[in-house]
Structures are given as C-alpha cells and as structure tokens.
Amino acid sequence: MSEERRVHLSRSAPAAYEALAAFSKTAGTLARDAGIDARMAEIVQIHVSQRNGCAYCVRVHLDRAVKAGVDADTIAQIPVWRESGVFSERERAALELAEAYVYIHDAGIPDEVYDRVGGILAEEEYVALSWLLVSINAFNRVAIAGRYPVGSRGMRT
C-alpha cells in the first residue's frame, strides 16, 4: 500500500461526517432500545471492521469493547466465532448477520440467514442490529478510503 497522504473525509467535509456520526448515534440508540447490549454491539462492529479490512475501526471498537467489559479471550475469538464456544446464541446470530451485511453485494441477505437470525432475534432487534451494521459498514468505507492510520499504541498518528 502506498504511503501517500489521502484526503481525510471527516476533515474535508465535516458536515457530511457529522451527519454520518449522527446517524450512527441514532442507530446505537435504536440498538440499545431494542435490547442489543454493548457487548454484542461492539463484537459485531469489530467483526465487520475486520472483514472489511478497516484497522482504524477495529481499533475504535476494540477500545469500546474493553470499556464494555469484553475480555481479551472473547475479542481474540471473534474471527473464529463459528468454532468458538464463547459466544451466546444471540451473539452468534448477530455475527452471522454481520457477515451477511459485509458481503451483501453477493446476494443480499440470504433467506437461510434471514430465517435463522429471525428465529433467534426479535424483529425489533433484527432491525436495530441491521441499522448498526449499515452504520459501521459506512464508517469502514470512510476510513479505508482515507487510509486512516493505525500505528502501534506507543506511536502518535
């Protein structure tokens, strides 16, 4: 990857970024009101960011997950959630839906995913989680397009 500087979209068009941030806040409120706890919300946002290749958003949501009480073992197992026993049935459904949103361009939300997740999460939870996933996917694209830097914790970026 080139080390060239990219346009920092949030600084270059702050009104658009602020609108995205407000949307994200609304999606987060909707999720909380629907019963999506902080642990689940952060786990899926980390996973989406991992799948999309957004190191910047992985870092942001890792920090938020730690604040929400998610332990290192759980965070480390997010990429291998299908083989892991640390996630609840609801979290597993949320992670499956998260992957469907990352790859939505392939075939939308497949019927089997929709039915399986819908059998575990209430409609209100499904809707709220979906908006949260739309939001994090948008933020991933902003950060990836701008190549937002993520250095080691000891470095200033």
Side-chain angles (χ1 to χ4, degrees):
M1 172 166 42
S2 168
E3 291 301 316
E4 71 187 66
R5 299 265 317 147
R6 295 279 178 118
V7 172
H8 198 287
L9 294 176
S10 65
R11 292 184 196 130
S12 299
Y17 189 81
E18 288 167 14
L20 181 57
F23 166 70
S24 177
K25 185 175 180 177
T26 299
T29 299
L30 186 65
R32 279 188 303 281
D33 291 350
I36 305 297
D37 63 21
R39 174 186 159 99
M40 183 188 294
E42 296 307 331
I43 286 169
V44 298
Q45 290 178 100
I46 290 169
H47 193 46
V48 167
S49 299
Q50 289 170 329
R51 289 292 178 122
N52 281 327
C54 185
Y56 185 85
C57 292
V58 167
R59 169 73 58 80
V60 167
H61 291 283
L62 169 79
D63 290 345
R64 291 180 183 174
V66 169
K67 278 186 175 178
V70 183
D71 62 48
D73 183 54
T74 299
I75 292 167
Q77 294 200 41
I78 293 171
V80 293
W81 67 268
R82 282 185 172 83
E83 292 78 30
S84 174
V86 303
F87 301 102
S88 70
E89 181 182 40
R90 290 170 43 75
E91 290 167 343
R92 296 172 73 74
L95 286 161
E96 184 172 18
L97 186 62
E99 288 181 1
Y101 268 89
V102 169
Y103 303 111
I104 202 162
H105 59 278
D106 287 340
I109 304 298
D111 290 340
E112 61 274 8
V113 172
Y114 181 84
D115 292 341
R116 190 169 30 259
V117 172
I120 296 167
L121 301 178
E123 182 175 341
E124 181 183 25
E125 294 171 316
Y126 182 96
V127 168
L129 184 59
S130 292
W131 282 115
L132 194 65
L133 295 169
V134 168
S135 174
I136 189 58
N137 273 286
F139 272 111
N140 288 168
R141 277 137 184 83
V142 168
I144 292 166
R147 293 189 180 157
Y148 287 21
V150 179
S152 73
R153 292 284 185 178
M155 294 175 54
R156 259 199 172 343
T157 57

